[in-house]
Amino acid sequence: MPNKRDLILRASEKIIASRGIQGLSMQQVANEAGVAAGTIYRYFKDKNELILELRKDVLTHVAAYILEDHQLGTLEQRFKRVWLKMHSFGKERSPANLSYEQYAHLPESNTDEIRNLELTLFAPLGQLFEEGKAAGIMQPLHSRALYALSMEPAMTLARTIRRGLIQYEPHEIDLACQLCWQTILIPIKPTH
């Protein structure tokens, strides 16, 4: 049986996904979670803290999903597995995904605490880029730049598909993943 804190987080996520941040009230959260309004304040001092904790919770779940089996295979296999999982997650119309888009850019959600949590949770991805640079196959850019060039397109593409703006066949998604991989590689000079 889920604990009350988790019930409150899931209820908040569902409300934000359907009504937006502005539609989130502690009373609605209490109703959705099936708890008394006062119970929420045992776990969260106010709405801002609830949103911050929800973001941390979602980040933790996303990282666990995306980075599952991240250490298996070659650098290319690892990169592509993570890329495709990011893309798969981004296409979902889940409350976690829909709510994340809304609160990811709130000032109180972009703190040093959140940035440090992201660095910790997604450290294996940074390690993948560092390994690629050390092996001399990836461009000598900061890992965050390599991420922006190669991984962010997975989420952007997924978002356009989720919103119905474009449709892709599986082989086109695989091609997009391959192109993102190639973007960060140091070109191999042909030998004559």
Side-chain angles (χ1 to χ4, degrees):
M1 182 165 188
N3 67 38
K4 288 185 181 180
R5 183 180 189 280
D6 193 55
L7 285 172
I8 293 165
L9 289 172
R10 299 292 71 83
S12 301
E13 187 176 70
K14 186 175 177 183
I15 292 167
I16 292 170
S18 64
R19 299 181 193 142
I21 292 281
Q22 312 83 312
L24 184 71
S25 75
M26 296 306 226
Q27 187 58 55
Q28 288 173 326
V29 172
N31 293 343
E32 183 69 36
V35 300
T39 302
I40 296 171
Y41 293 101
R42 285 191 219 151
Y43 300 95
F44 310 98
K45 71 177 180 185
D46 58 25
K47 185 170 141 178
N48 286 340
E49 182 179 57
L50 173 60
I51 292 168
L52 179 64
E53 291 301 314
L54 181 58
R55 179 159 189 212
K56 289 169 24 178
D57 181 74
V58 170
L59 278 171
T60 302
H61 285 90
V62 169
Y65 171 76
I66 289 172
L67 296 171
E68 182 183 15
D69 298 331
H70 68 86
Q71 73 284 6
L72 302 176
T74 65
L75 282 174
E76 181 176 359
Q77 290 167 335
R78 291 161 54 200
F79 173 91
K80 289 180 177 181
R81 184 180 308 109
V82 170
W83 194 99
L84 290 168
K85 284 186 176 190
M86 288 180 105
H87 177 73
S88 175
F89 176 80
K91 286 191 321 187
E92 292 177 15
R93 293 194 58 77
S94 68
N97 200 338
L98 297 174
S99 64
Y100 183 80
E101 284 187 25
Q102 295 191 45
Y103 57 73
H105 302 291
L106 293 174
E108 55 272 5
S109 292
N110 290 310
T111 63
D112 287 340
E113 179 185 10
I114 291 293
R115 282 189 288 280
N116 289 332
L117 178 63
E118 287 174 339
L119 288 172
T120 301
L121 292 173
F122 292 96
L125 192 51
Q127 291 166 352
L128 183 140
F129 293 127
E130 292 303 319
E131 286 177 43
K133 291 189 291 185
I137 66 168
M138 289 186 191
Q139 296 289 346
L141 294 171
H142 191 282
S143 291
R144 299 290 276 177
L146 292 174
Y147 173 85
L149 290 168
S150 64
M151 291 290 181
E152 284 187 10
M155 294 300 280
T156 303
L157 184 59
R159 204 170 21 254
T160 61
I161 292 169
R162 187 180 72 239
R163 292 178 179 162
L165 301 175
I166 197 161
Q167 292 182 350
Y168 281 98
E169 296 296 322
H171 73 277
E172 293 172 306
I173 300 301
D174 290 339
L175 177 58
C177 179
Q178 178 65 27
L179 291 171
C180 286
W181 168 248
Q182 290 173 350
T183 298
I184 59 174
L185 296 179
I186 295 173
I188 298 172
K189 295 182 175 127
T191 56
H192 296 285

